[in-house]
Amino acid sequence: SIEEASAQLIDARADRGESEREAKLRVALESLQRQFPAAVHGRVHELCEPVMRSQDAAVAVALGKNLDAIVVDTEATARECIKYLKDQRYAPQTFIPLDSIRPKAIPDRLRQLPGTARPVLDVLRYEPR
């Protein structure tokens, strides 16, 4: 029917738009990694992953917009990256400088919640830096 064809066309356009967005994000990151090879580590979703696939959606919700954030070594590097992206006319990006992270201890009571609720750090696999 025409309605089904229209719905498929709308879905295809949305998929193409998402693919173009992902391609632009990838190109921007690759450019930053060439400019600052030791200082730009990658996107959060590339640097950590849920221990179990069944936790993918929960981790994505918990990390929210930071899932696509770019992890860099310092705030100074983040500022340089922002300037570089602006000069090259890339879209703005979110950065997480490792030197600005101040982790807090997770209270034991949160690790002992009933059911399947867990702190997100307890269900992620990542390489500490």
Side-chain angles (χ1 to χ4, degrees):
S1 82
I2 293 177
E3 291 84 19
E4 290 173 348
S6 179
Q8 288 176 346
L9 183 58
I10 289 170
D11 288 346
R13 285 183 182 151
D15 288 346
R16 189 184 80 215
E18 186 64 22
S19 296
E20 289 174 5
R21 178 184 173 278
E22 289 173 3
K24 288 178 182 178
L25 290 174
R26 182 181 40 76
V27 169
L29 176 61
E30 289 170 354
S31 183
L32 287 172
Q33 288 175 318
R34 280 192 301 277
Q35 271 312 111
F36 311 98
V40 176
H41 301 294
R43 295 196 182 278
V44 169
H45 73 267
E46 298 167 343
L47 299 172
C48 63
E49 63 182 359
V51 173
M52 296 185 326
R53 299 286 287 163
S54 62
Q55 298 163 330
D56 283 353
V59 167
V61 168
L63 294 177
K65 65 181 175 77
N66 289 321
L67 203 57
D68 281 330
I70 299 172
V71 178
V72 295
D73 59 352
T74 65
E75 288 185 37
T77 298
R79 283 191 293 277
E80 290 178 40
C81 288
I82 291 167
K83 182 181 180 330
Y84 175 80
L85 290 175
K86 188 175 181 180
D87 291 347
Q88 300 299 313
R89 298 180 186 253
Y90 283 110
Q93 303 287 315
T94 300
F95 292 90
I96 300 176
L98 292 175
D99 71 341
S100 70
I101 296 174
R102 303 287 178 251
K104 297 178 183 176
I106 299 171
D108 286 336
R109 66 178 172 75
L110 293 179
R111 289 198 163 98
Q112 298 166 355
L113 290 173
T116 60
R118 299 285 174 267
V120 73
L121 286 178
D122 289 356
V123 299
L124 285 178
R125 191 174 328 164
Y126 59 94
E127 183 178 320
R129 296 191 183 232

